Amino acid sequence: WPRVLLFGDSITEYSFQENGWGAYLADRLVRKCDVVNRGISGYNTRWAKLILPRLITASTSAESIVAITIFFGANDSALKDLNPKQHVPLEEYAANLKSMIQYLKSVDINEDRIILITPPPLQESAWEKACLAKGDKLNRCNATTGQYAQACVQVAKDCGTDVLDLWTLMQKNQDFSSYLSDGLHLSPKGSSFLAAQLWSRLENKVSALPSLLPYWRDVDHTNPEATLL
């Protein structure tokens, strides 16, 4: 069956939870394609670049992928001094995104099937509480996250892919704190916002997909093999 593949960090991994944005897409696309969750909590682009060829190979999976989202940056943008394990320098982050796009193109997934998603904004006071509860200091800041979002947008322009600038859209003319559950990860409202924004970019990529297998009323019950085989 055709597939939409969601590749990202914890914000993607959690997207199939109740009211999650991935679950929303799966519901919208049921019987048209599979929505496959390849979110890996805590990962950054440095690690994602290495595992992408294991997830998608030219021989087994590329042909069936009608769209792929690449959604990293929330971990890359962690402050180096306070979170060196996840931090990736800004220039390397951009280079890693380009590298992933180039790999996908090398297995015949063209740029018109790729959607980059920027990290969402960071609500610092809420995330600080989450950090303190784990015995850590505040290890991210929204201004830095914004620099990574801008880099992601620029990569999309340079490479000719779609992009969803979540960082900017969530802050447009509104308090964005309700979009986040802990200052970093999405709340149900944030998931709904992302799903709606993403659908507007995804719809044209999947609109031509037919419904898989006949509607039940159209099956010849006296000779189902004639309809179904």
Side-chain angles (χ1 to χ4, degrees), residues 119-216:
L122 181 82
Q123 215 288 317
E124 293 176 15
S125 60
W127 184 242
E128 185 173 27
K129 288 180 183 177
C131 291
L132 290 172
K134 300 174 186 175
D136 299 326
K137 295 180 180 178
L138 177 64
N139 54 23
R140 290 162 170 80
C141 76
N142 192 39
T144 302
T145 303
Q147 293 175 349
Y148 283 72
Q150 290 172 3
C152 180
V153 170
Q154 188 60 51
V155 167
K157 288 179 182 176
D158 293 344
C159 297
T161 71
D162 265 344
V163 64
L164 172 52
D165 185 359
L166 200 58
W167 189 86
T168 297
L169 288 169
M170 280 190 166
Q171 294 183 89
K172 207 169 187 178
N173 304 320
Q174 57 205 333
D175 173 18
F176 64 89
S177 59
S178 62
Y179 288 135
L180 304 168
S181 61
D182 57 4
L184 177 70
H185 300 96
L186 300 181
S187 65
K189 182 179 178 181
S191 242
S192 178
F193 181 86
L194 170 55
Q197 295 291 333
L198 186 54
W199 182 251
S200 68
R201 290 157 177 80
L202 188 62
E203 190 172 14
N204 68 320
K205 303 181 194 305
V206 299
S207 59
L209 293 175
S211 185
L212 295 162
L213 297 175
Y215 180 54
W216 72 271

Side-chain angles (χ1 to χ4, degrees), residues 7 45-53 70 91-107 109 114 116 155 159 161:
F7 186 41
T45 56
R46 184 181 292 163
W47 304 340
K49 178 181 72 171
L50 297 177
I51 64 170
L52 182 58
I70 301 177
E91 296 76 14
E92 184 190 341
Y93 167 73
N96 290 340
L97 289 176
K98 289 182 179 180
S99 175
M100 286 188 270
I101 293 167
Q102 290 304 316
Y103 172 75
L104 292 173
K105 290 173 70 174
S106 78
V107 295
I109 298 175
I114 301 169
L116 299 186
V155 167
C159 297
T161 71

Side-chain angles (χ1 to χ4, degrees), residues 29-96:
L29 291 169
V30 69
R31 284 190 59 184
K32 287 181 176 287
C33 69
D34 291 332
V35 178
V36 181
N37 187 334
R38 291 293 179 265
I40 304 142
S41 179
Y43 273 49
N44 56 31
T45 56
R46 184 181 292 163
W47 304 340
K49 178 181 72 171
L50 297 177
I51 64 170
L52 182 58
R54 292 173 54 191
L55 302 180
I56 301 172
T57 63
S59 60
T60 60
S61 38
E63 184 180 349
S64 67
I65 293 176
V66 293
I68 176 171
T69 59
I70 301 177
F71 189 4
F72 289 95
N75 297 317
D76 298 69
S77 60
L79 301 175
K80 182 179 180 180
D81 293 346
L82 293 168
N83 190 348
K85 184 164 185 173
Q86 291 179 299
H87 169 80
V88 172
L90 185 61
E91 296 76 14
E92 184 190 341
Y93 167 73
N96 290 340

